[in-house]
Structure formats: C-alpha cells, structure tokens
Amino acid sequence: MSFASDIQATTLTDTGTAVARRSRLAGVNVIATSTAGTLTFRDGGATGTVKLTYNTPASAGAYDLLIPDNGIVFETDIHVTFSDNTNVTSVVVLYVG
C-alpha cells in the first residue's frame, strides 16, 4: 500500500458507523465465529451505497482483508452492517482520512 498519511483504526462490535467523515478503507480484521455471515460496508449510513460486502467463513478465527493501492473511498462515512452478531465478534476497520 502506498498511503500518504498514517493509517488509523477503529473497532466495532455491532452495526454502526466506524468513521464519520470522508476516508479511505485500507483494510479489515474480522474476528469470526463458526457461523458464516456478512459484513456490509456502506457510504452514507445504514441505507447508503454499498461499497464492499465481506462474507465471513463458517470457521472461527481472525481474518484479514487488505485493500490494495489507495483503498476504497467513502465520501460521507464508513458504516458497517453486521448480518448477525452471532457470526462476527468484532471488526477492526483500518482507514486513512
């Protein structure tokens, strides 16, 4: 990755806004349970534009997703929707901005 500034991180344990301003999603760390699930990353709140859908495996553990180059731009905010709290314990959102 070639970011011009420092990467920051925030952790969510439930559906919500991870970053409340324009930013670039640089990566995600997910702590998953043994049940498959989905994390939906939206720009513009809970009903905003879907920028990324991350399907978690049906296998307990920690999983990383690194976004190449300059990441994914979110113009308004980064909102993360958990399909169900029984499949994801937490998600660390790595971002710039």
Side-chain angles (χ1 to χ4, degrees):
M1 285 188 224
S2 59
F3 290 100
S5 59
D6 293 333
I7 292 179
Q8 300 176 18
T10 188
T11 302
L12 293 176
T13 57
D14 200 353
T15 293
T17 299
V19 183
R21 63 183 176 276
R22 184 184 191 280
S23 55
R24 292 181 177 272
L25 180 64
V28 177
N29 172 268
V30 177
I31 305 300
T33 66
S34 58
T35 305
T38 303
L39 293 170
T40 305
F41 293 78
R42 297 178 186 268
D43 185 358
T47 60
T49 303
V50 174
K51 297 288 222 152
L52 174 68
T53 301
Y54 183 85
N55 296 312
T56 62
S59 178
Y63 299 92
D64 295 320
L65 172 65
L66 299 177
I67 310 295
D69 297 322
N70 289 322
I72 301 171
V73 175
F74 286 73
E75 294 292 341
T76 307
D77 60 12
I78 299 176
H79 185 276
V80 184
T81 302
F82 289 55
S83 61
D84 186 342
N85 279 16
T86 61
N87 22 45
V88 173
T89 304
S90 68
V91 59
V92 177
V93 176
L94 304 172
Y95 66 96
V96 176

